[in-house]
Amino acid sequence: MKKIGVLIAAGMLFAAAPSFAQTVGTCPRGGGGNQPQPVRILFALNSSQLPPAEKPMIAQAVKTAKDRQVSAICLIGHTDKLGDKAYNQKLARARAQAVAAEMIRDGYPAKDITIVADPEAFGNMSFGSDNASEIDRKVTIFYAR
């Protein structure tokens, strides 16, 4: 059963990668002090599948971006500190790509989305339990202008 989960995750990594026009790299700078607050989209352990409960938050982020005339969005994929760093890099990117796909479906232009994979960078330093790092399994949506 574990192998099937890994195969599904790997398939999602490859399926999401080439189908978008968004930039992969560094986030645009600037935007000023009146930018909307960042939005955090949470993911399950070892998963890049977008949880259905998070989709309304993404739709609201797209609406906010349109209403506030945001010209660029940066999606930073994160992971917890569990597991291999190379795998976490791919997982972080796949999470960001999943959020990008949903934002594009909700009408935000792909060309205005930048994806960054930043695994483990902002991880919770409390290694006491698996639950301590749930908040680190996320994509952060940053707005720029």
Side-chain angles (χ1 to χ4, degrees), residues 45-136:
L45 176 66
N46 202 30
S47 176
S48 63
Q49 184 173 0
L50 188 61
E54 298 293 316
K55 289 182 179 185
M57 291 180 64
I58 295 171
Q60 181 59 48
V62 168
K63 181 180 180 331
T64 298
K66 289 178 177 181
D67 290 350
R68 302 276 295 270
Q69 300 177 351
V70 171
S71 62
I73 285 182
C74 184
L75 303 175
I76 303 178
H78 303 276
T79 64
D80 57 33
K81 293 191 179 324
L82 303 174
D84 177 71
K85 282 193 175 201
Y87 176 78
N88 282 348
Q89 176 75 22
K90 291 177 186 174
L91 181 59
R93 179 168 292 170
R95 287 174 174 169
Q97 288 170 326
V99 172
E102 188 67 18
M103 293 186 87
I104 292 165
R105 275 190 283 280
D106 287 342
Y108 197 80
K111 67 179 182 58
D112 296 334
I113 297 173
T114 300
I115 288 177
V116 177
D118 201 4
E120 307 177 16
F122 300 108
N124 185 328
M125 295 305 290
S126 174
F127 293 105
S129 72
D130 290 350
N131 291 337
S133 53
E134 282 179 6
I135 193 71
D136 300 327

Side-chain angles (χ1 to χ4, degrees), residues 38-41 73-78 122 138-142:
V39 177
R40 288 170 188 84
I41 306 300
I73 285 182
C74 184
L75 303 175
I76 303 178
H78 303 276
F122 300 108
K138 66 181 179 268
V139 170
T140 306
I141 302 171
F142 287 100

